[in-house]
C-alpha cells in the first residue's frame, strides 16, 4: 500500500484553502483541483510498503506536542499551485525527525530538506496570469496521521489508518 504521514486541517483552514481553490478554478481554463477531503500537509512520504508496524514505530518515537500551524500565501512549481505554510521550528523538527526515524526503520526516505506546502491544483492552464492570495490562517496542530493512498474510480482517496 502507498503511505504518507500528514497533518489534517481545522475547518477554518479548510475553508480558507477551499476559497483559494475556487479562486484558482475561476481563473483557469482547466486543471486538476484538489478535492476538499484530500487537503493535507505531508510531513513524510513513505511510498509503497506493507510494513505498517515499522511506520507506526517510527511515529511513536515522537512525543507529539501541539504547535501552531499557519497557512499563508501561495505559489507554484511548474503547473502545480500550492498554499504556503509559515516557517515554524516545531513543524520542521517534527518533519525532519520523522524522516530520520523512518530511515532508521529501513525506509528509503528522500533526504532533501522539508519544504511545507499544500497542493491546491495540478496541471493548471490559464489564458492570462493567475493571481491567488491565501490569507493568513492559524490552527493548533494536535496530531499527525498515517495515511493510505488509493486510486478508486480514477480518484485519489486518502484513508487515515493510524494517528499519534
Amino acid at each position: 500500500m502507498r503511505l504518507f504521514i500528514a497533518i489534517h486541517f481545522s475547518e477554518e483552514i479548510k475553508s480558507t484553502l477551499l476559497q483559494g481553490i475556487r479562486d484558482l478554478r475561476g481563473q483557469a481554463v482547466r486543471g486538476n483541483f484538489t478535492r476538499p477531503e484530500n487537503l493535507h500537509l505531508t510531513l513524510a512520504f513513505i511510498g509503497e510498503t506493507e510494513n505498517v508496524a515499522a511506520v507506526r514505530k517510527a511515529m511513536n518515537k515522537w512525543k507529539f506536542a501541539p504547535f501552531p500551524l499557519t497557512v499563508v500565501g501561495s505559489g507554484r512549481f511548474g503547473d502545480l499551485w500550492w498554499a504556503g505554510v509559515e516557517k515554524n521550528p516545531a513543524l520542521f523538527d517534527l518533519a525532519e525527525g520523522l524522516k530520520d526515524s523512518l530511515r532508521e526503520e529501513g525506509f528509503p526516505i528522500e533526504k532533501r530538506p522539508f519544504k511545507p506546502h499544500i497542493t491546491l491544483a495540478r496541471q493548471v492552464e490559464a489564458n492570462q496570469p493567475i493571481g491567488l492570495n491565501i490569507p493568513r490562517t492559524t490552527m493548533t496542530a494536535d496530531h499527525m496521521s498515517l495515511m493510505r493512498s488509493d486510486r478508486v474510480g480514477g480518484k485519489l482517496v486518502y484513508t487515515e489508518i493510524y494517528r499519534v
Side-chain angles (χ1 to χ4, degrees):
M1 72 187 94
R2 191 173 177 91
L3 302 177
F4 64 94
I5 299 171
I7 291 178
H8 294 285
F9 302 118
S10 67
E11 289 304 315
E12 183 179 11
I13 285 186
K14 278 186 197 173
S15 177
T16 296
L17 295 171
L18 290 172
Q19 182 60 52
I21 291 171
R22 284 191 293 275
D23 291 348
L24 188 56
R25 188 186 300 266
Q27 298 175 68
V29 174
R30 69 182 55 87
N32 181 5
F33 300 92
T34 301
R35 297 179 335 163
E37 61 272 19
N38 286 354
L39 287 168
H40 68 278
L41 173 62
T42 301
L43 296 171
F45 179 75
I46 299 157
E48 293 291 334
T49 185
E50 297 298 320
N51 195 353
V52 174
V55 177
R56 289 175 58 158
K57 183 177 176 185
M59 290 174 73
N60 288 332
K61 288 180 182 179
W62 288 91
K63 300 239 185 247
F64 191 100
F67 60 89
L69 178 72
T70 300
V71 172
V72 64
S74 64
R76 62 185 271 200
F77 307 129
D79 66 355
L80 182 144
W81 283 85
W82 49 266
V85 177
E86 193 170 79
K87 289 187 178 183
N88 176 320
L91 173 62
F92 279 78
D93 289 349
L94 174 62
E96 292 300 336
L98 270 174
K99 292 193 309 186
D100 288 343
S101 294
L102 288 161
R103 283 186 207 103
E104 288 170 11
E105 294 300 320
F107 294 100
I109 304 299
E110 65 186 11
K111 294 195 178 191
R112 67 182 168 168
F114 179 60
K115 292 187 180 178
H117 65 279
I118 302 142
T119 300
L120 302 177
R122 288 182 169 85
Q123 300 166 334
V124 173
E125 296 178 25
N127 290 329
Q128 56 192 12
I130 292 176
L132 182 62
N133 179 42
I134 303 295
R136 180 184 182 85
T137 312
T138 301
M139 65 173 255
T140 298
D142 60 6
H143 70 278
M144 60 180 160
S145 300
L146 175 58
M147 304 297 296
R148 185 182 75 222
S149 173
D150 299 296
R151 190 160 295 277
V152 178
K155 295 181 181 178
L156 283 176
V157 176
Y158 301 148
T159 306
E160 183 183 69
I161 60 175
Y162 186 65
R163 176 186 287 209
V164 172

